């Protein structure tokens, strides 16, 4: 057979576009998960969060020698206090981490690589928020239930027997973890707006600590009302309870605060250079 009669099989050119896995939201989520879990600051912050939660619960029980003999709902309320008391310090830790999650990339310039891989930009913002929010909620659950597990036998020895199957007890413990996640997200979006670590941390901690303190010194009804709607005050309804907000109302108010900051964060990400 001659070379002229042998022809190579013709290959039809395909004009179908090959899907880019980097642009899928699942791929962006996977990327942000890798970033979050490989940062030392993340590991240290979450470890400190758990240690503070358990440590403050133990210290509270040891210092409260007068707590004895309680059952039913009263015992459940007493069990919630040491299990969630560490949240008052944990919210500061999670706020700092929330800012660092986004501002750290701006500080190192890595955000340019992220936005180059995802030209639409906004999926990066939402993926970071989702990964960080879910991770913080899970770690918060571990911290709160670890504090309960450690302090429960200490309280039980004093005759304070709580019922872990009680929905109200579960609601308070889960609410504490939810509060940490929501506060972390609020700090995250503040960091996305300011793009600066020090500024973001100052804004987040100022909203949690400074603003409520300043308003408490103002002897006016409007200051009292505003103080009741601040995220750090409203969020405590999720685990300490409140006469003003039901838990579902507190969640809506917290989500409203997050939305108020997330909207400008998204607009600025689209319009400003990295």
């Amino acid at each position: 057979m001659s070379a002229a009669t042998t022809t190579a099989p013709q290959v039809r050119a395909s004009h179908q576009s090959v899907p880019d896995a980097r642009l899928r939201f699942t791929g962006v989520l996977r990327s942000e998960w890798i970033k979050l879990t490989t940062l030392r600051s993340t590991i240290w912050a979450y470890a400190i969060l758990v240690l503070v939660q358990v440590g403050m619960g133990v210290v509270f029980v040891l210092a409260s020698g007068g707590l004895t003999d309680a059952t039913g709902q009263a015992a459940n309320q007493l069990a919630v206090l040491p299990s969630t008391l560490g949240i008052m310090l944990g919210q500061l830790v999670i706020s700092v981490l929330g800012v660092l999650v986004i501002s750290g990339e701006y500080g190192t310039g890595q955000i340019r690589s992220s936005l180059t891989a995802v030209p639409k930009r906004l999926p990066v913002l939402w993926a970071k928020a989702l990964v960080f929010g879910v991770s913080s909620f899970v770690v918060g659950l571990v911290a709160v239930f670890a504090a309960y597990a450690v302090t429960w036998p200490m309280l039980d020895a004093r005759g304070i027997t709580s019922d872990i199957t009680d929905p109200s007890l579960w609601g308070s413990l889960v609410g504490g973890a939810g509060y940490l996640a929501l506060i972390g997200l609020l700090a995250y979006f503040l960091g996305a707006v300011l793009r600066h670590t020090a500024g973001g941390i100052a804004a987040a901690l100022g909203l949690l600590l400074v603003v409520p303190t300043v308003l408490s010194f103002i002897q006016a009804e409007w200051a009292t009302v505003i103080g009741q709607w601040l995220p750090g005050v409203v969020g405590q309804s999720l685990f300490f309870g409140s006469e003003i907000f039901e838990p579902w109302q507190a969640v809506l108010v917290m989500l409203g605060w997050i939305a108020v900051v997330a909207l400008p964060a998204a607009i600025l990400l689209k319009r400003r250079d990295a």
Side-chain angles (χ1 to χ4, degrees):
M1 183 178 296
S2 62
T5 59
T6 59
T7 57
Q10 296 181 350
V11 180
R12 293 184 179 180
S14 175
H15 298 285
Q16 296 180 352
S17 60
V18 179
D20 191 347
R22 295 177 303 173
L23 299 182
R24 294 178 182 174
F25 190 66
T26 54
V28 181
L29 282 174
R30 190 179 303 110
S31 173
E32 296 304 328
W33 168 253
I34 294 173
K35 292 179 188 177
L36 183 67
T37 54
T38 53
L39 290 174
R40 292 182 180 180
S41 58
T42 302
I43 306 301
W44 279 107
Y46 282 154
I48 292 172
L49 185 65
V50 175
L51 291 176
V52 166
Q53 196 72 32
V54 175
M56 288 194 66
V58 171
V59 170
F60 174 81
V61 175
L62 293 176
S64 303
L67 294 178
T68 56
D69 298 330
T71 57
Q73 191 62 30
N76 289 341
Q77 292 176 352
L78 290 175
V80 166
L81 189 55
S83 301
T84 57
L85 187 62
I87 293 175
M88 306 313 295
L89 285 180
Q91 64 179 345
L92 307 182
V93 177
I94 206 70
S95 296
V96 171
L97 180 60
V99 173
L100 286 174
V101 166
I102 183 68
S103 67
E105 286 205 35
Y106 281 102
T108 60
Q110 187 180 1
I111 191 67
R112 298 187 185 93
S113 300
S114 299
L115 299 182
T116 300
V118 188
K120 292 183 179 180
R121 294 192 170 199
L122 290 185
V124 174
L125 183 70
W126 307 135
K128 283 182 180 293
L130 183 58
V131 169
F132 173 64
V134 172
S135 301
S136 299
F137 177 71
V138 172
V139 174
L141 275 180
V142 172
V144 170
F145 277 93
Y148 176 81
V150 172
T151 58
W152 177 83
M154 300 172 65
L155 293 174
D156 188 61
R158 299 183 182 183
I160 304 175
T161 306
S162 58
D163 182 11
I164 189 62
T165 62
D166 190 314
S168 63
L169 177 61
W170 269 86
S172 296
L173 298 182
V174 174
Y179 171 73
L180 287 173
L182 292 171
I183 283 294
L185 286 174
L186 181 60
Y188 163 78
F189 285 113
L190 282 172
V193 172
L194 298 176
R195 297 186 174 190
H196 191 271
T197 300
I201 293 175
L205 299 189
L207 186 59
L208 287 176
L209 302 178
V210 179
V211 176
T213 302
V214 172
L215 290 176
S216 66
F217 287 112
I218 302 176
Q219 303 298 321
E221 184 178 356
W222 64 266
T224 302
V225 173
I226 293 176
Q228 293 171 346
W229 285 79
L230 291 175
V233 178
V234 173
Q236 295 181 26
S237 306
L238 297 176
F239 51 98
F240 283 157
S242 170
E243 296 180 356
I244 301 176
F245 297 102
E246 294 292 331
W248 65 270
Q249 294 173 326
V251 171
L252 290 179
V253 174
M254 293 287 292
L255 291 176
W257 274 98
I258 293 173
V260 166
V261 185
L263 181 60
I267 295 174
L268 292 175
L269 182 62
K270 291 288 288 186
R271 293 184 177 181
R272 291 193 302 192
D273 293 334

